[in-house]
């Protein structure tokens, strides 16, 4: 099941990769603040805890949005506004999919 494009291309040594990782890690506080601000912007766009779009109801948008939101529950310091949190909790329970911060 291996593909050539999955293999290490040799562009970066391990030391270079670790240095890039450390540089990104140093930006964590600023990036978490950006995500928290975007979550506040998202809150009014969510129709209800059971669907993101009111005129459609449950849709693929919910599958996509829930999976993206769930992935950031892994990040320490993320603050979910109440409506976004209710949405996450609803789909976690309905889908029997635990959140990473639970």
């Amino acid at each position: 099941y291996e593909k050539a494009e999955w293999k290490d291309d040799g562009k970066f040594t391990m030391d270079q990769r670790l240095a890039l990782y450390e540089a990104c890690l140093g930006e964590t506080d600023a990036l978490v603040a950006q995500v928290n601000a975007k979550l506040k912007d998202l809150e009014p766009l969510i129709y209800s805890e059971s669907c993101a779009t009111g005129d459609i109801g449950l849709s693929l948008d919910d599958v996509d949005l829930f999976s993206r939101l769930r992935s950031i529950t892994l990040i320490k310091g993320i603050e979910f506004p109440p409506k976004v949190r209710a949405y996450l909790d609803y789909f976690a329970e309905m889908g029997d999919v635990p959140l990473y911060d639970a």
Side-chain angles (χ1 to χ4, degrees), residues 82-99:
K83 199 170 181 182
V84 177
R85 187 74 221 194
Y87 180 86
L88 264 172
D89 292 341
Y90 174 83
F91 279 99
E93 185 177 336
M94 291 296 107
D96 195 24
V97 178
L99 302 175

Side-chain angles (χ1 to χ4, degrees), residues 13-85:
T13 66
M14 184 55 74
D15 289 337
Q16 290 170 318
R17 290 174 196 267
L18 291 173
L20 288 170
Y21 177 80
E22 287 295 324
C24 290
L25 194 59
E27 297 178 27
T28 298
D29 292 338
L31 295 172
V32 166
Q34 286 179 20
V35 171
N36 286 336
K38 294 298 182 185
L39 288 170
K40 286 180 184 176
D41 293 343
L42 174 65
E43 186 171 39
L45 302 177
I46 294 178
Y47 179 74
S48 72
E49 71 176 20
S50 62
C51 65
T53 50
D55 56 339
I56 297 174
L58 182 64
S59 69
L60 288 176
D61 291 338
D62 294 300
V63 174
D64 182 57
L65 181 58
F66 172 71
S67 65
R68 291 172 189 270
L69 290 173
R70 179 180 181 254
S71 68
I72 63 174
T73 64
L74 183 65
I75 303 168
K76 191 177 194 176
I78 296 296
E79 298 168 358
F80 293 98
K83 199 170 181 182
V84 177
R85 187 74 221 194

